[in-house]
């Protein structure tokens, strides 16, 4: 169910446009030749940049390190959506706020659900963690961009072909990395249940999560905490992996009780987000390579 857009947000749009109008005029003029695209999450924004190249001007709504499950739209988001020609979403219910925001912004362009064609796990929006799904997502995006900007369709198609090759290589590299980890040691515990598609693709054993949900708003009860500690001990799980967009405190407490190590800090997994823009982990490929390298190093040793 979509959240109701706060009235204050819609009311703030006019002020936001007036305040930003002068400073944004030059940027708008510079981007006149580019297709204006709003992308909701860091992952789909990176996909749009990879496929669109310099033929698109991308506004990314959710910034790196921000939990998308708790996101609340801002007046600047309405302004960006209202000015866009295409809006790209992850889909599968991740952006509960989007429909109301689009309506409030008066957007009448194309909305692209990048999950179209993906075989879904029940209520699990973290589809990008399988490179196979990522190929479907970028294909959906390429089709929408080519429809919106036919003059650049050749460029978008060429970029899709090149990026699909990169995704195939990522998948092959992931397969090779996990092949070096004994099957009995491929046991995963994370902050929340964000890696189901990854687990399925690479045949891992998902032991459990600190937050017992696909969403990050759930809380672990005392009984669930004790059960997770017991399961970690029983299965011989080696580590708990924290995530870049979630606090590590509870994971650290569980790890201490279970007698296992915590993988966090700079080694934290990218579950719901990417790294800072401009870094290797700020791209989908870089973040996924980081995740695989971190997990296989910790579990294979």
């Amino acid at each position: 169910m979509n959240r109701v857009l706060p009235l204050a947000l819609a009311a703030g749009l006019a002020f936001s446009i007036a305040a930003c109008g002068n400073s944004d005029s030059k940027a708008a003029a510079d981007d006149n030749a580019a297709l204006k695209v709003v992308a909701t999450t860091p992952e789909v924004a990176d996909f749009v940049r990879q496929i669109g190249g310099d033929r698109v001007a991308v506004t990314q709504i959710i910034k790196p390190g921000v939990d998308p499950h708790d996101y609340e739209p801002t007046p600047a988001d309405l302004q960006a959506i209202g000015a866009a020609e295409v809006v790209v979403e992850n889909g599968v219910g991740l952006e509960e706020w989007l429909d109301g925001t689009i309506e409030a912004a008066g957007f009448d362009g194309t909305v692209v659900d990048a999950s179209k064609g993906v075989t879904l796990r029940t209520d699990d929006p973290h589809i990008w963690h399988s490179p196979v799904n990522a190929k479907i997502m970028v294909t959906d995006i390429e089709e929408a961009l080519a429809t919106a900007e036919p003059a650049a369709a050749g460029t978008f198609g060429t970029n899709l072909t090149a990026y699909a090759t990169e995704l195939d290589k990522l998948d092959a590299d992931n397969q090779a990395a996990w092949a070096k980890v004994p099957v009995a040691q491929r046991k995963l515990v994370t902050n929340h249940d964000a890696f189901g598609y990854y687990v399925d693709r690479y045949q891992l054993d998902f032991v459990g999560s600190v937050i017992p949900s696909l969403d990050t708003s759930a809380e672990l009860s005392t009984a669930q905490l004790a059960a997770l500690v017991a399961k970690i001990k029983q299965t011989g799980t080696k580590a708990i992996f924290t995530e870049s967009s979630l606090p590590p405190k509870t994971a650290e407490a569980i790890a201490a009780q279970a007698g296992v190590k915590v993988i966090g800090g700079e080694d934290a997994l990218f579950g719901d987000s990417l790294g800072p823009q401009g870094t290797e982990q700020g791209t989908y490929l870089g973040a996924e390579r980081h995740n695989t390298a971190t997990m296989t190093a910790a579990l294979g040793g």
Side-chain angles (χ1 to χ4, degrees):
M1 181 179 296
N2 292 326
R3 296 172 182 167
V4 177
L5 191 71
L7 292 176
L9 179 56
L13 176 60
F15 174 79
S16 176
I17 293 174
C20 298
N22 291 335
S23 62
D24 286 350
S25 59
K26 183 179 185 300
D30 291 342
D31 286 339
N32 277 344
L35 183 68
K36 294 179 175 60
V37 182
V38 166
T40 55
T41 68
E43 294 82 13
V44 295
D46 185 54
F47 291 157
V48 174
R49 294 186 188 102
Q50 298 298 329
I51 303 305
D54 60 7
R55 301 302 298 266
V56 300
V58 183
T59 299
Q60 177 180 318
I61 297 294
I62 301 175
K63 301 302 185 283
V66 175
D67 183 354
H69 298 282
D70 286 335
Y71 189 74
E72 296 289 347
T74 69
D77 297 336
L78 276 101
Q79 181 182 341
I81 290 172
E85 297 163 86
V86 177
V87 171
V88 182
E89 64 171 321
N90 178 84
V92 205
L94 185 63
E95 304 97 334
E96 292 185 337
W97 48 271
L98 184 60
D99 287 348
T101 307
I102 284 174
E103 183 178 357
F107 175 76
D108 60 358
T110 300
V111 178
V112 183
D113 182 343
S115 71
K116 184 183 69 175
V118 172
T119 300
L120 300 176
R121 302 175 75 247
T122 303
D123 298 326
D124 188 347
H126 307 91
I127 54 176
W128 62 91
H129 283 304
S130 166
V132 175
N133 293 344
K135 284 184 68 173
I136 296 172
M137 296 173 76
V138 294
T139 300
D140 291 340
I141 291 168
E142 187 273 338
E143 290 175 355
L145 296 182
T147 299
E149 190 66 32
T155 297
F156 299 148
T158 298
N159 291 346
L160 173 62
T161 299
Y163 194 65
T165 299
E166 292 289 333
L167 292 173
D168 287 339
K169 184 177 186 303
L170 173 68
D171 190 37
D173 289 346
N174 287 350
Q175 297 276 12
W178 282 109
K180 298 175 183 177
V181 179
V183 173
Q185 294 174 204
R186 300 177 192 174
K187 295 180 170 64
L188 190 64
V189 177
T190 56
N191 266 120
H192 82 299
D193 189 2
F195 292 91
Y197 294 96
Y198 188 100
V199 165
D200 289 348
R201 180 63 183 167
Y202 303 114
Q203 300 181 334
L204 310 186
D205 180 4
F206 183 67
V207 175
S209 57
V210 174
I211 299 171
S213 173
L214 296 165
D215 198 338
T216 57
S217 59
E219 295 183 1
L220 196 69
S221 69
T222 301
Q224 288 171 320
L225 188 153
L228 180 57
V229 169
K231 192 172 183 181
I232 290 170
K233 291 179 177 179
Q234 175 191 352
T235 57
T237 300
K238 289 188 172 186
I240 297 177
F241 296 90
T242 63
E243 298 171 41
S244 63
S245 58
L246 295 172
K249 186 174 181 180
T250 304
E252 291 167 350
I254 292 173
Q257 292 185 45
V260 298
K261 58 188 174 184
V262 173
I263 308 299
E266 293 184 355
D267 291 328
L269 301 183
F270 295 100
D272 276 335
S273 191
L274 301 180
Q277 289 187 21
T279 67
E280 175 66 17
Q281 291 80 17
T283 68
Y284 169 79
L285 292 173
E288 292 296 312
R289 290 181 188 123
H290 165 90
N291 286 348
T292 296
T294 298
M295 286 188 277
T296 56
L299 300 180

